Amino acid sequence: MSHSFVLPPIHDNKDGSWGPSSTSVPSQFKDIPYSPYSKTEKLGRFADWAEGDGSRSMAASSGAARSGGRSGAARGRAVVEAGGANAFAYFHVEDESSFSLVDSKATAPGSRRGGSSFNRGRGAPRTGQGATGRGGAGGGRWGSQSNRGRRTGATGRGGWKEWEKVNRSRESSVPIQPDWNMLEEIDFPRLSKLRLEVDVDEPQTVGTYGQVFAYDRTFDRVTPKTERALQILDRVRYNTTTSDDPIIQDLASKGIAKAYATDTILSWLMCCTRSVYPWDVIITHEGGKVFFDKRDGGPFDFITVNENAADPPMESDKEKDSINSPGSLSLEATFIDQHFSFQAVDEKTSVKLQRPNPFANPEDREPLASCGYRYRVFDLGIDEDDDFTIAVRTQVEAFLPGATAKAPPQFVTLRTLNEFDSKAPGSGGAPEWRAKLDTQRGAVVATEMKNNGFKLSKYAIQSVLAGADVIKIGYVSRVNPRENSRHATLTTATMRPSDFITQLTVSLSNGWGIIRMITDKILKMPEGKYLLIKDPNKSIIRLYSIPATAFMGEEEGDIPEEEEPAE
């Protein structure tokens, strides 16, 4: 006997909706409950055969009893609703009602996990943990019992004093003009994956210029108890951008390299993934060559303070003129760094390099500072057939005499870290240097590496690019935390650049990969002027095509006209 299958009649809704229609419902499906369904909602039960006979309420109550009385039957079952129809919601009755990852039973009043309230036992509550012990219902370490696992709100540590934090929105280093065309946007995770191995020990030094003085070894014996006041000395040191450097122009005319930059710009780009504050670099593509330039008075002319701190110094309307605002701290740090390098040398002993300072001006009244420029060419080629080099102007501030009379001098770079006020907002939890530098120097160094990781990375890369043998970092602090005009050197740290790079976990291969990637992108584009800018609030850099006249003559435009006094 053969069985036949007859397709039942299908009723299509006139409005095109899915499911039973209110106008055309087959007689055999009338008065059957229906749960609306949406793809965005969780799917529960398709049908409930026990609805209306009372077994649901009995199962729920029995499950609540087995769950240990967690504030009634509602907490004894996990409800996953579908479309808001309770008739089709799925209830965990017997399978998972008694399962829990943590002990969620209520703590009896007056009981303690580690002992009575009068004893400071091993498990007794710590200060500020409430009366019911660690993690208890009375506001323990992670807040109340109902907030366990969420760490939000006033009692959770994740949202502690969120209402007191100032808006961390920053402004761009330059205003984006409407005629600028954005070409590409690159985030920091992509930059961190770039790699290019470069031999930094064998670059070609094409010229040395200037004069350097001997490092004053008495600074190595300075301690917080024998601090030395920072002197203000009138010296001249030039920080000319790449395109205005006459030596760079001469090298470019000879075709020595494909890209040209200074050690300040190059080190900034090589570790830019650690930067937080906004910055910008002007890139010029001309004659098949790439020039990396800075703006006069831009971020490259100043030193930041606690840029990488969890709570860095922020500028607000109330503290705009405060000595602890980001702008004031940056000016102070730049002032300290310059005058420390002026003071920490012995001008009685000097070494003249191959040629005189190329930026010296006979009209300067002040003497030139101790500074030696070393122009070096690095090979960034991927293989032997890839001819790709970059010429860099590097800088050293002092030298150390060799072990013997015939031994060559050792070049030194001088840098500083400064302390402003360990109790002020934005200090990054730094310990007081005068009290901790002698006894807990490791803690001070670790805090500075955390709060100023980007700045220290630039220091290390600049020393490696210059081929310096030693880097000296002076710890300079305010004489009075509430006054930013008087400072003192508390101690000086000495290290080799290669060891410093390793200690900071800076990847030179990643930095060279970033430089090669940016240069390759510019060389593939038409000749012109471009701007590489970091987003002020995100870990993103953007490349813009800008007019050739951009940033030209802005120095004159920024100088306000002096008003004549009224007679």
Side-chain angles (χ1 to χ4, degrees):
M1 181 178 179
S2 60
H3 296 277
S4 61
F5 174 76
V6 178
L7 187 67
I10 299 176
H11 301 273
D12 293 332
N13 295 333
K14 296 180 181 181
D15 56 357
S17 60
W18 184 88
S21 175
S22 58
T23 58
S24 60
V25 180
S27 57
Q28 63 269 30
F29 298 126
K30 285 185 178 181
D31 301 327
I32 294 181
Y34 161 70
S35 175
Y37 174 72
S38 174
K39 292 182 178 180
T40 60
E41 298 175 348
K42 296 180 180 179
L43 187 63
R45 293 179 177 178
F46 286 98
D48 187 3
W49 309 107
E51 178 67 19
D53 59 357
S55 59
R56 167 68 58 83
S57 60
M58 293 175 59
S61 60
S62 61
R66 285 192 296 269
S67 65
R70 293 175 58 186
S71 301
R75 293 191 181 182
R77 59 196 181 195
V79 181
V80 181
E81 302 231 341
N86 292 331
F88 291 91
Y90 179 65
F91 294 85
H92 291 283
V93 179
E94 296 181 356
D95 48 359
E96 297 180 6
S97 60
S98 60
F99 176 78
S100 178
L101 290 176
V102 294
D103 183 11
S104 57
K105 295 181 179 180
T107 306
S111 63
R112 297 293 185 271
R113 193 175 286 186
S116 64
S117 59
F118 301 99
N119 297 328
R120 179 63 174 93
R122 185 172 183 179
R126 302 188 182 187
T127 303
Q129 289 185 357
T132 58
R134 186 173 183 176
R141 182 177 182 181
W142 307 121
S144 65
Q145 184 71 24
S146 59
N147 286 334
R148 171 174 287 185
R150 286 184 283 178
R151 297 181 68 177
T152 56
T155 56
R157 184 165 295 185
W160 185 70
K161 288 189 176 181
E162 288 288 344
W163 61 87
E164 293 185 3
K165 289 187 177 180
V166 186
N167 186 12
R168 297 295 176 183
S169 178
R170 301 183 180 90
E171 296 181 357
S172 178
S173 56
V174 290
I176 305 301
Q177 302 300 323
D179 57 342
W180 294 0
N181 182 26
M182 191 181 76
L183 304 176
E184 192 164 356
E185 183 178 273
I186 309 173
D187 56 6
F188 283 3
R190 287 174 57 192
L191 294 176
S192 301
K193 298 177 181 178
L194 300 174
R195 292 291 184 275
L196 178 63
E197 297 295 336
V198 175
D199 189 0
V200 296
D201 296 329
E202 296 183 0
Q204 178 186 1
T205 303
V206 295
T208 58
Y209 299 79
Q211 179 182 13
V212 290
F213 298 124
Y215 171 72
D216 189 354
R217 293 183 180 271
T218 58
F219 275 82
D220 292 337
R221 297 189 292 269
V222 174
T223 64
K225 296 181 180 179
T226 60
E227 61 184 44
R228 180 176 295 189
L230 184 68
Q231 298 179 3
I232 300 177
L233 302 176
D234 292 331
R235 300 291 183 270
V236 177
R237 176 180 295 163
Y238 294 92
N239 187 20
T240 308
T241 187
T242 307
S243 298
D244 296 338
D245 189 330
I247 309 302
I248 293 288
Q249 295 175 0
D250 183 61
L251 295 177
S253 64
K254 297 178 181 178
I256 297 297
K258 284 188 176 181
Y260 301 86
T262 64
D263 58 348
T264 304
I265 300 175
L266 197 66
S267 62
W268 198 298
L269 293 177
M270 290 179 69
C271 56
C272 65
T273 54
R274 302 190 178 199
S275 63
V276 178
Y277 292 159
W279 49 266
D280 58 275
V281 180
I282 301 173
I283 307 176
T284 306
H285 182 197
E286 181 180 359
K289 303 177 181 64
V290 177
F291 298 87
F292 295 89
D293 287 293
K294 67 178 183 65
R295 293 185 299 106
D296 289 337
F300 289 85
D301 291 335
F302 300 96
I303 299 175
T304 60
V305 178
N306 288 1
E307 178 176 353
N308 300 100
D311 189 18
M314 291 299 295
E315 191 143 356
S316 61
D317 295 337
K318 296 180 180 179
E319 300 180 356
K320 202 165 188 180
D321 299 329
S322 171
I323 62 175
N324 296 329
S325 64
S328 300
L329 291 175
S330 180
L331 290 173
E332 181 182 357
T334 306
F335 171 86
I336 291 173
D337 188 77
Q338 290 180 354
H339 288 278
F340 175 80
S341 61
F342 296 163
Q343 183 183 3
V345 293
D346 183 6
E347 297 185 351
K348 298 179 181 179
T349 307
S350 64
V351 169
K352 293 184 178 180
L353 302 182
Q354 295 175 353
R355 298 179 182 179
N357 193 317
F359 310 109
N361 190 347
E363 298 180 358
D364 292 333
R365 298 180 180 179
E366 293 80 11
L368 291 174
S370 175
C371 184
Y373 301 102
R374 308 182 72 194
Y375 292 83
R376 317 182 84 197
V377 178
F378 295 86
D379 185 6
L380 303 187
I382 300 176
D383 49 38
E384 295 181 356
D385 299 331
D386 186 13
D387 183 15
F388 193 102
T389 55
I390 180 171
V392 186
R393 185 191 76 209
T394 63
Q395 181 175 308
V396 293
E397 287 78 28
F399 80 94
L400 289 173
T404 61
K406 297 182 180 181
Q410 294 183 335
F411 290 111
V412 181
T413 56
L414 300 176
R415 301 291 184 267
T416 57
L417 290 170
N418 65 295
E419 178 191 35
F420 54 101
D421 188 355
S422 59
K423 299 179 181 179
S427 62
E432 189 177 353
W433 285 5
R434 284 179 172 82
K436 301 297 182 180
L437 268 176
D438 276 342
T439 59
Q440 298 180 13
R441 176 171 292 197
V444 175
V445 173
T447 305
E448 291 303 311
M449 291 174 62
K450 179 188 69 174
N451 295 339
N452 296 286
F454 180 50
K455 177 168 65 176
L456 292 175
S457 300
K458 290 186 295 181
Y459 288 171
I461 293 178
Q462 289 173 10
S463 301
V464 171
L465 294 176
D469 300 283
V470 178
I471 177 173
K472 300 278 187 178
I473 299 182
Y475 288 80
V476 183
S477 177
R478 293 177 181 174
V479 176
N480 184 353
R482 298 183 179 180
E483 183 183 352
N484 64 348
S485 59
R486 294 184 300 138
H487 302 85
T489 303
L490 304 183
T491 188
T492 305
T494 305
M495 60 198 73
R496 296 195 174 276
S498 58
D499 298 336
F500 197 30
I501 285 277
T502 305
Q503 187 177 6
L504 293 169
T505 64
V506 176
S507 174
L508 288 176
S509 60
N510 174 241
W512 289 120
I514 294 174
I515 299 299
R516 179 63 192 266
M517 182 272 295
I518 295 175
T519 309
D520 285 341
K521 286 184 179 295
I522 299 298
L523 288 173
K524 294 178 182 178
M525 297 178 181
E527 292 190 359
K529 184 179 287 188
Y530 301 88
L531 182 71
L532 186 67
I533 185 170
K534 182 196 174 292
D535 188 279
N537 301 302
K538 299 178 181 178
S539 299
I540 294 174
I541 59 174
R542 297 184 178 92
L543 183 62
Y544 288 87
S545 174
I546 61 177
T549 57
F551 305 112
M552 294 181 63
E554 63 178 2
E555 294 85 359
E556 291 80 1
D558 291 340
I559 299 177
E561 297 182 358
E562 295 184 0
E563 297 181 359
E564 296 182 359
E567 295 181 358

